[in-house]
Every structure is written in C-alpha cells, then in structure tokens.
Amino acid sequence: MNFKVTLSLTPYDLVVIVAVYLHCLQDANIPLEVFQELICPTIEPSPFDPLIDRDVVYPGLTDPLIPDLCVITRRLSEIDGFKDMVEAYIGCVTSIKTLETVYNMLKAVKFLCLVKTAKDLKERRKENESKSIVCFTERSFLGNYIVKCLMKVEIGSFDDKIILFDCFKKMVSEFMDSEIRIFYGWHIPNRTSSLKNWGLMTDEYNDNEKMIKMLGELTHNIERNEAPDLIISANHLENILDWYLYKKVKKAPFPEDDPSQNLVTDMINNISLHNKSLFPKINVIKYLMYLDNNCYDDAFKALHNYFDYVLSQNADSYFHISSLCIATFYTHFHDTELAVKSFDEATKVAREHRDSDTLNLIIVWIMKFIEDRPEHAAQFNLKVDQITRFLKSSSDSTDARIFESAYRFEALTLFRRHDDKISLFEALYRYTVLAMEQHKSEGGMSDLMQFKTMLWQELGFPKLAEIYDKFAKQNENSKELDEMFVNLEQNKLDLVKRYLKCSKFQTFGYDDRMRATMLKVRYLRTVCEYDMAFSIVEDAILECTAYCSDFRMKNDFEIEKCLLFLDSNLGCRCLHLAIDLLKYNQLIQNGPTTVKCIFILYRVLMESCNFEDAQELLEENIVNIMQYSEFREQAGIYRKAVKEALAAE
C-alpha cells in the first residue's frame, strides 16, 4: 500500500464533513456518540509508550475507525431507523464531483451553524425556532472539528488538492463494489440535483472537469507524483498504531477480518523510511511481530531501530529504559545471563541520573524477572529483601504499581517460605487493595486471582480456589500441565509420556518448571521407575532451596520422596522424614499437607505391622482430617483397614 501522511484535509475528512452537513442542515439527526467515533481518531492522541506503560489501561481510543468509506457507512447503518438517511448519505457522497462541493458544505456550516459564544448560540436558536438547523459554538466538539477543517483548506498546493480528490475518488470507487453498498441496492438515486438545489454545486463543474481533463492530457508527459492509495492524517495514523500496539502488548485477540489490523499490516510492510522515522512505534510493532515468530535477529534490530529514533529526542530516561527493554528481550529468548547484565546496566544508569521514578520502574521489572526465575535472584547486587523494602519505602513515587509490586512480591515470598500466616495475609491484603483500587490491565488482575487460587488451594479450601480460578487467566504451559495431571490420575500414561518427552521445560517459568518436574516424578512413580524418580527429587529439592528458599516446593518434593519409598516397599526408610514433615507442617499450620503426612506415617506404621500405633494416629487426628472433604473417603478406607488388621491378629 502506497500511503501519504498529511497535515491537510484527507478523504476521511471529506466524508465526515458530508455527515456533519447532513446532520446540521438536512435533519439527519446523527447521534453525538457517532460523531465522537468519527472525529476522535483525527484528534491528537494521549501519550502512550507501549514499552513503558504496558501495565496501565490505555487512556486513548480503542478500535478507532479507519479511513474507509465502507467502515463509516457500516457504522451509520447501525443507528436504529437510519436506513433512509444512510441512503441519502451514500447518494450524496457518491455524487460529489469536485472538492468545491465539500468546501461549500464547510462554508454553509460555518455561516449558518457556527457561532463564537454561548450568548450568540441562544440568539441564533431564537432566530431558528423550527430547529431545522443545528447550531453550535466554535469551542464545542463539532465546532472545533469544523474550525480545524476550515484551517486545513488553506494548506496545500493545487497539486496536493488534485491528489486529495483523486484519493477521494479511489475511496468512492472501492466503496461502489463493497458489500454494504450492494446491501442498500442500486436504486439509490443520484444526488447531483439535490446538491445543486442546496447551492453546493453549479453547472460550471462540468466545464471545470473538462478543463482539468484537458490539462491532464496536455501534461501527461511531465513527471509528476502519482496519487497514493491512501492519504491519512498524522493524528489518525497515530491513534490506529496506538490501538494496534495496545492490543498486541495485551495479547488481546483481533476479530476475524479486522479492518484496522489489515490496514496496519499493509502499512508497516510498505512504509517508507521517512514515514518510519515520523512514527517510530512501527518499529515496536515489528519487534512484537518478530517476538511472536521467535525471530531473534530481526526482533533485536527492530528494537534498536526504535531506540535510535527515540534517543534522538534527548529524553534523559530513555537510555536506561532502552537497557530495560533489551533485558526483557533477552528474557523472552531465555538468555538470562545477558538479561541480568542489562538489568544491572539499567539500574546503574538510572541511579547515576538520580531518576527515582524510572529506577522504581526498573526494580519492579526486576522483581517480575525474579518471580519467574528466582534461581537468578542471587546475581543481583541487592538482596531480594532489600529491594522489597526499598519499594515499600518509595515515598517519592506517586505510582501505585510500585507499592503493589512490593506487596505482591512480599506475599509470594512469604508463601514460598512458609512464613507465618498473619504476615502473609497482611501482605496479601495490601496487595489486593492496591490492585483493586487502580485501573489495572487484564493481565495484572489475572495475576492477583491466580495467586489467590494457588494460596487457597494450598490452605485446603478448593471451593474458594475454584471461585478465584474462574477470574484467573492461565498461560498455555499452566493449562497443559493441569491437563497432564488429570491424564495421569486417569492413567492415560501415553499422553503424559509424550508430553514429557516433547516439551521444552527449560523455557518455562519457575513455578511451571517445578510443576513439570513434579509431574515427571509422579509419572515415574506410576511406572515404577523409582531410581530415576529419586534422583530427580533430590535435584529438585536442591534447586528450590539453594537459590530461592522455596520451602513450599521442598515440602511437596519431600512428601513425594516418602511416597516413592512406600511404593517401592521401603517405607521404614522414610520414617524419620515422615515424622519431621508432620511436625513441620503442624508448626506452620498447613492443614492439608499435615493430613498428607499423617497418611504417609500411617502407611509406614501399617507396613511395619504397628497396627495399634496406626489406629491411634488416625483417631487422634480424625477431627482435623475430616474437615477437608478431599481426604474423608481415604480416611474411611484407612480406618476400616486398620480395624481388619487388628481383628486378624
């Protein structure tokens, strides 16, 4: 697509002006919200940096209308009872033969509808008691747009206006073959006579058209610029790019045959270097596309091109922001060593510039990195606890995300370390309040719900966990793991084996990687590969305690270790471990895991024929066991078994 960015009028403006004219002087009665949708894409957008502001709700437009007559007509046709006026609109637009007609519409609206003050507006309405003319002030929404269009009429040379009208005719020509045009049928009359009656067109247009055609034939050998496929204003293109980027950053799905998506794709594939320098966000779009396709070199080049343009603006913060973005680039491709170095560089430069706001932002990203890869926490200069305290004490920051991230990470750390529940719930409460008070993205709210799902599941309240799980948005790895655990319970071992063989667990985040390891251990225990399972368990215990003090996963793997001993008929070898696990989980008041430890110790005692001790263990803890519905059936089976064993003696 060959397109041109302009500061003057565009074909899109011309068709919107027709709608304004019909509304103001021909009783079209178009609702104001429709004009908002038509005009807002041409207004200068709010500042939006997709690499920095990715966790905030986009303050600008969503899904702006693109410069296409089919899209505009389709929007007008959605108004109830507006079919006749849509036909009039189509007939009017398709009957326009010269720019002078549209200019006359502008002049008519200015002369008959536009006033300077509210006092003038009252007087004008008194003069027009029939209300057949819609009047408005220059500072109103419609008035501001009309004033800007009148100013743009004066911009541009004769050749520019010829190119503008050629593009307008292309737009109309494409519309004539569209589905929406065919839907309204070919009975729509030509509105040339109406335009003449309204004083917008005279018979002179035929002579002017002949003159222009004759001049074109005489000068066809002279080199001149061909009319582009599309002329679009800078603000309009900026709004479309911002909306597209917002959708890409949030990974929100695009509707099928989305016109905005198709337009942006055509633009970025055929954009000139000059336009690319005017709209550096196009490099970010390419960067995200390359990331989706795992194109390492192309993505790295696009990211560098973006910051080459942005750094030329001499913004102090952009050098360390560029290092931060490069760090996330390395993180995406699982090059963690280079990611850590880039994070360190960004932190160092932000401190040198004493840029506390950007430093806080960088540290929030570092916390997210550590959350997904806690094994690399020790590589940062500051300890994790120090970073958390720093964020909680950032009194000079007005960004609630800083404090939210601090309490989120504190809650997650306390959860993994099995610290006291009071501190955990205090941190969780603060995290929840901060997350709910501000306008968060879908991903941020999903993180909160996912954490609560995990917490209540761990504490033995599966029904409550299910409620939060409905609002959480899991990643694909987590969904596949959930499915594989279900397959393992249903003894679909071939599916689990294929998954374990084909998946690339090194690309998983920490939590998913630990869950995948647990899945592998349970699969090996099911197929009686005990030696290999023992080896994996020992390595997993070392990994989750040596770097990040994740006593929660250590606890789970040690329970799995006891089950391996029991299934391999070596239960007596895990007696001391089972006793220690029981005492530990009673100390931290982890009810569900305590019940699991009781069952393990029961099986050890039964294997050693200590039936009386096994019965006493169950009866002493039966009240605690029965409060969790998932263990009641198993408790009944164990009580029956121990009674039968005692009776058989």
Side-chain angles (χ1 to χ4, degrees):
M1 173 187 290
N2 177 24
F3 70 96
K4 176 185 177 182
V5 181
T6 182
L7 297 175
S8 183
L9 285 178
T10 67
Y12 181 84
D13 289 320
L14 300 184
V15 294
V16 173
I17 289 170
V18 174
V20 174
Y21 176 83
L22 293 175
H23 171 73
C24 295
L25 296 173
Q26 300 299 328
D27 296 324
N29 296 321
I30 300 174
L32 180 59
E33 58 267 20
V34 176
F35 278 119
Q36 287 177 332
E37 290 186 54
L38 291 172
I39 296 173
C40 280
T42 66
I43 298 174
E44 183 177 358
S46 303
F48 172 64
D49 192 314
L51 298 178
I52 301 176
D53 300 327
R54 59 183 302 159
D55 289 330
V56 297
V57 171
Y58 174 40
L61 300 166
T62 55
D63 199 2
L65 296 178
I66 67 171
D68 188 314
L69 185 54
C70 299
V71 174
I72 297 170
T73 306
R74 190 174 291 111
R75 178 64 187 93
L76 292 175
S77 67
E78 293 172 358
I79 306 172
D80 293 336
F82 208 65
K83 182 178 179 181
D84 292 341
M85 190 50 64
V86 172
E87 292 179 356
Y89 174 77
I90 295 172
C92 188
V93 171
T94 55
S95 299
I96 293 174
K97 303 301 180 183
T98 65
L99 282 179
E100 194 67 26
T101 302
V102 183
Y103 293 165
N104 288 335
M105 289 181 178
L106 268 178
K107 293 174 185 177
V109 171
K110 177 187 177 184
F111 180 75
L112 298 173
C113 306
L114 204 59
V115 296
K116 289 187 176 295
T117 65
K119 183 179 179 181
D120 296 335
L121 182 62
K122 290 181 180 178
E123 294 178 357
R124 183 68 64 85
R125 285 175 175 171
K126 286 180 181 178
E127 296 173 1
N128 179 36
E129 294 180 358
S130 64
K131 296 183 180 180
S132 59
I133 298 177
V134 179
C135 300
F136 44 84
T137 63
E138 291 181 354
R139 293 189 177 183
S140 65
F141 183 74
L142 278 177
N144 188 45
Y145 178 71
I146 293 299
V147 170
K148 287 182 178 178
C149 287
L150 286 166
M151 293 173 60
K152 289 178 179 179
V153 169
E154 307 301 326
I155 301 175
S157 63
F158 176 77
D159 283 343
D160 290 335
K161 292 178 180 178
I162 294 297
I163 292 174
L164 168 62
F165 195 66
D166 285 344
C167 283
F168 173 77
K169 288 191 291 185
K170 282 184 179 180
M171 175 187 282
V172 174
S173 176
E174 292 173 359
F175 170 75
M176 297 302 288
D177 297 327
S178 65
E179 292 182 2
I180 187 72
R181 174 65 179 84
I182 296 172
F183 172 78
Y184 279 93
W186 296 100
H187 64 277
I188 295 177
N190 188 289
R191 296 281 170 169
T192 302
S193 58
S194 298
L195 293 175
K196 290 179 181 179
N197 293 335
W198 297 341
L200 303 175
M201 182 187 294
T202 65
D203 292 329
E204 294 178 357
Y205 88 88
N206 287 323
D207 297 333
N208 294 335
E209 197 172 51
K210 291 177 182 178
M211 180 66 70
I212 293 172
K213 184 177 181 181
M214 182 184 71
L215 289 173
E217 291 175 353
L218 292 174
T219 59
H220 72 278
N221 291 326
I222 299 176
E223 185 178 349
R224 62 196 315 171
N225 295 327
E226 290 188 9
D229 298 318
L230 173 68
I231 296 178
I232 187 170
S233 69
N235 288 339
H236 200 163
L237 178 56
E238 195 80 35
N239 276 307
I240 292 174
L241 292 177
D242 280 352
W243 171 83
Y244 186 90
L245 269 172
Y246 178 73
K247 298 278 282 187
K248 289 291 288 184
V249 168
K250 299 302 177 185
K251 298 188 180 300
F254 290 97
E256 291 186 11
D257 299 326
D258 184 86
S260 298
Q261 183 186 15
N262 297 334
L263 177 69
V264 173
T265 303
D266 289 341
M267 281 184 171
I268 64 174
N269 289 335
N270 299 282
I271 192 168
S272 65
L273 289 176
H274 174 69
N275 283 336
K276 190 183 291 186
S277 65
L278 297 176
F279 302 94
K281 289 178 184 177
I282 289 177
N283 288 299
V284 182
I285 293 177
K286 287 194 170 185
Y287 166 69
L288 295 173
M289 288 180 171
Y290 290 137
L291 286 186
D292 291 341
N293 296 319
N294 288 321
C295 299
Y296 184 98
D297 291 334
D298 292 332
F300 195 59
K301 182 179 179 181
L303 187 62
H304 267 293
N305 287 340
Y306 173 70
F307 283 110
D308 283 343
Y309 289 118
V310 173
L311 288 172
S312 64
Q313 301 173 3
N314 296 321
D316 291 337
S317 65
Y318 266 102
F319 184 79
H320 28 291
I321 288 296
S322 64
S323 297
L324 176 60
C325 293
I326 289 172
T328 60
F329 164 80
Y330 288 130
T331 302
H332 177 85
F333 287 103
H334 311 289
D335 196 340
T336 52
E337 295 300 326
L338 286 177
V340 170
K341 290 180 181 178
S342 297
F343 277 126
D344 281 340
E345 178 67 18
T347 307
K348 178 182 177 182
V349 177
R351 283 177 174 170
E352 289 176 354
H353 285 75
R354 297 183 180 180
D355 185 353
S356 58
D357 290 338
T358 309
L359 179 61
N360 286 338
L361 177 64
I362 291 169
I363 292 180
V364 167
W365 285 35
I366 290 175
M367 297 293 269
K368 179 64 177 175
F369 177 83
I370 295 174
E371 181 182 327
D372 294 335
R373 297 166 179 80
E375 66 272 20
H376 296 281
Q379 293 179 256
F380 291 94
N381 295 329
L382 289 175
K383 294 181 180 178
V384 174
D385 292 338
Q386 289 177 311
I387 296 176
T388 307
R389 286 198 300 271
F390 171 79
L391 291 180
K392 289 165 66 177
S393 62
S394 297
S395 57
D396 57 338
S397 174
T398 59
D399 194 341
R401 288 180 298 168
I402 304 300
F403 305 103
E404 179 194 340
S405 298
Y407 287 112
R408 168 179 167 76
F409 196 82
E410 183 182 31
L412 183 62
T413 302
L414 293 171
F415 177 64
R416 284 176 175 172
R417 291 179 179 175
H418 274 161
D419 281 353
D420 67 286
K421 298 296 186 293
I422 294 177
S423 298
L424 170 60
F425 279 107
E426 285 179 350
L428 178 59
Y429 174 75
R430 292 188 178 96
Y431 166 39
T432 303
V433 170
L434 289 167
M436 299 293 288
E437 278 185 347
Q438 56 180 325
H439 294 291
K440 284 292 294 179
S441 64
E442 182 182 355
M445 192 57 62
S446 179
D447 287 341
L448 172 63
M449 297 303 169
Q450 197 167 338
F451 178 74
K452 288 195 172 188
T453 301
M454 186 170 56
L455 174 66
W456 291 116
Q457 189 70 45
E458 179 76 11
L459 296 178
F461 297 92
K463 296 296 182 183
L464 188 56
E466 288 177 8
I467 294 174
Y468 286 108
D469 188 50
K470 292 178 181 178
F471 298 97
K473 186 178 180 181
Q474 289 185 319
N475 59 48
E476 292 300 321
N477 293 333
S478 296
K479 290 179 181 178
E480 288 182 352
L481 282 167
D482 289 341
E483 185 180 345
M484 288 305 115
F485 276 109
V486 172
N487 288 336
L488 187 62
E489 291 177 3
Q490 296 174 351
N491 208 35
K492 297 178 181 178
L493 301 182
D494 290 340
L495 294 176
V496 179
K497 181 180 179 180
R498 190 181 306 116
Y499 174 78
L500 292 172
K501 185 177 181 180
C502 299
S503 298
K504 297 180 180 180
F505 300 124
Q506 66 272 18
T507 63
F508 285 16
Y510 172 79
D511 289 327
D512 289 336
R513 194 168 68 252
M514 287 292 102
R515 290 186 65 207
T517 304
M518 181 64 74
L519 175 68
K520 190 171 186 178
V521 170
R522 291 181 182 176
Y523 168 77
L524 292 172
R525 177 160 63 87
T526 304
V527 297
C528 302
E529 293 286 347
Y530 301 119
D531 291 340
M532 187 180 297
F534 273 119
S535 177
I536 293 173
V537 165
E538 294 297 338
D539 291 341
I541 291 174
L542 180 63
E543 180 180 355
C544 64
T545 54
Y547 304 106
C548 53
S549 302
D550 188 357
F551 297 111
R552 171 177 167 265
M553 289 307 304
K554 175 177 180 289
N555 197 37
D556 291 346
F557 279 114
E558 286 182 338
I559 288 175
E560 202 65 30
K561 184 177 180 180
C562 291
L563 294 174
L564 284 169
F565 277 122
L566 287 168
D567 287 0
S568 57
N569 298 320
L570 297 172
C572 59
R573 294 181 60 178
C574 71
L575 177 61
H576 294 295
L577 178 58
I579 293 173
D580 290 342
L581 283 171
L582 178 59
K583 291 179 179 178
Y584 172 73
N585 284 280
Q586 287 175 335
L587 179 65
I588 64 173
Q589 299 179 353
N590 190 330
T593 312
T594 299
V595 175
K596 292 179 183 178
C597 295
I598 290 170
F599 285 172
I600 288 172
L601 194 55
Y602 163 85
R603 289 180 59 185
V604 173
L605 293 172
M606 290 292 288
E607 185 179 297
S608 304
C609 298
N610 293 328
F611 304 130
E612 293 182 0
D613 291 342
Q615 185 182 39
E616 184 179 353
L617 177 68
L618 283 180
E619 297 304 326
E620 285 180 353
N621 296 280
I622 195 64
V623 175
N624 293 329
I625 294 172
M626 298 304 287
Q627 67 177 314
Y628 302 107
S629 57
E630 58 183 306
F631 300 118
R632 291 171 188 167
E633 183 179 354
Q634 191 65 43
I637 295 172
Y638 283 166
R639 291 181 75 184
K640 181 179 179 181
V642 73
K643 286 180 181 179
E644 292 176 353
L646 287 170
E649 285 187 333

